Amino acid sequence: MLLEGEIVVITGAGRGIGKATALLFASEGAKVVLAARNRTQLEEVASHIADLKGECLILPTDVSIENEVTACFDQALGHFGRIDILINNAGVLYNGPFLETSLEVWDQLLGVNLRGVILCTRAALPTMVANGSGKIINVASGAGLRGLPGGSVYAASKAAVIALGASLAGEVEANGIKVNTICPGPINTEMQNPSRHKDAVQKSSKLLPPDDVAGAALYLASKLSGKTSGQTISVRTSNRW
């Protein structure tokens, strides 16, 4: 198993990429902390992990709220004693013209997509520094690399995550910590397909499965990636953003 005994915190773990990553990591021997706002979704993921004979801890958390993040990581450390891997995956999507995007929407998306990454990374880093090892994997978006007309707030938040990861990698390299970023293209998740009407089903056939992103995360989280750090990996087909 590639992650035998590793302690992993995954945000946005209740569905989509986070769920796929949690199940894959559990199947590879990791002990998984499941963090997201929706307890019901987390409990469903936990039941699948139990079927895999894996171990997990459910911690409902809004990553944009500092005291909730602090409580989440305090409980994770109290239960498992350390954190080896952090997957900053929680995110929200908004599409709309720039001039029609309210400041409230900007605050909401930046709060989850960027502030959430900052808060969780700040919470995880001290134990990683103390242990002299750790891996942080941020899930950004291809929109952060290439822009997204009609989705400026989302693209801007993800571009900031990419820059944060590349910058932090150089800071913590001497502490034995590796930081990398995954930039998915369009993925078949509830965030991309909030409804299952006919058009959404047809669109879903053109989207990549969340398992593709989970596989990239497994590579970066395991020994397979060696000393790789400060890198941004795209997961997409050749003709999709």
Side-chain angles (χ1 to χ4, degrees):
M1 291 186 175
L2 291 173
L3 299 176
E4 185 68 40
E6 296 287 281
I7 311 301
V8 185
V9 176
I10 302 175
T11 68
R15 63 182 188 177
I17 292 170
K19 176 181 178 179
T21 303
L23 296 179
L24 179 59
F25 279 32
S27 72
E28 291 291 342
K31 299 177 182 179
V32 185
V33 178
L34 304 171
R37 289 179 290 188
N38 189 312
R39 174 180 284 276
T40 300
Q41 291 178 342
L42 292 179
E43 289 175 346
E44 180 184 352
V45 177
S47 70
H48 290 305
I49 290 176
D51 291 339
L52 296 170
K53 309 302 181 185
E55 182 177 353
C56 69
L57 177 65
I58 294 175
L59 295 176
T61 305
D62 184 334
V63 298
S64 69
I65 300 176
E66 184 176 10
N67 63 353
E68 291 196 22
V69 171
T70 299
C72 171
F73 282 82
D74 284 349
Q75 291 178 70
L77 286 169
H79 187 84
F80 288 117
R82 68 180 196 278
I83 296 168
D84 301 309
I85 302 163
L86 168 64
I87 311 291
N88 282 313
N89 168 72
V92 290
L93 175 66
Y94 176 84
N95 290 312
F98 177 81
L99 288 178
E100 297 176 14
T101 304
S102 68
L103 290 179
E104 288 77 13
V105 170
W106 277 92
D107 288 342
Q108 178 191 8
L109 262 77
L110 290 172
V112 176
N113 295 358
L114 178 58
R115 177 181 169 87
V117 173
I118 293 168
L119 291 176
C120 291
T121 301
R122 284 168 59 91
L125 267 180
T127 185
M128 292 182 177
V129 170
N131 292 333
S133 65
K135 294 190 175 182
I136 298 172
I137 300 167
N138 299 323
V139 179
S141 170
L145 292 171
R146 292 171 287 278
L148 181 62
S152 56
V153 57
Y154 179 74
S157 69
K158 294 301 187 176
V161 170
I162 295 167
L164 172 62
S167 301
L168 182 62
E171 288 190 31
V172 299
E173 183 178 12
N175 301 107
I177 301 166
K178 300 172 180 63
V179 184
N180 292 287
T181 301
I182 300 173
C183 286
I187 304 295
N188 188 14
T189 66
E190 291 181 41
M191 190 166 73
Q192 286 284 350
N193 281 331
S195 67
R196 302 308 301 172
H197 56 71
K198 182 178 178 181
D199 290 343
V201 172
Q202 289 175 343
K203 181 182 178 183
S204 70
S205 66
K206 301 177 181 179
L207 304 177
L208 291 174
D211 289 344
D212 285 10
V213 184
L218 177 61
Y219 165 74
L220 292 171
S222 72
K223 294 180 180 179
L224 293 175
S225 58
K227 296 182 180 180
T228 300
S229 189
Q231 303 305 306
T232 300
I233 297 177
S234 292
V235 178
R236 63 189 183 99
T237 58
S238 61
N239 62 344
R240 303 291 288 174
W241 62 259

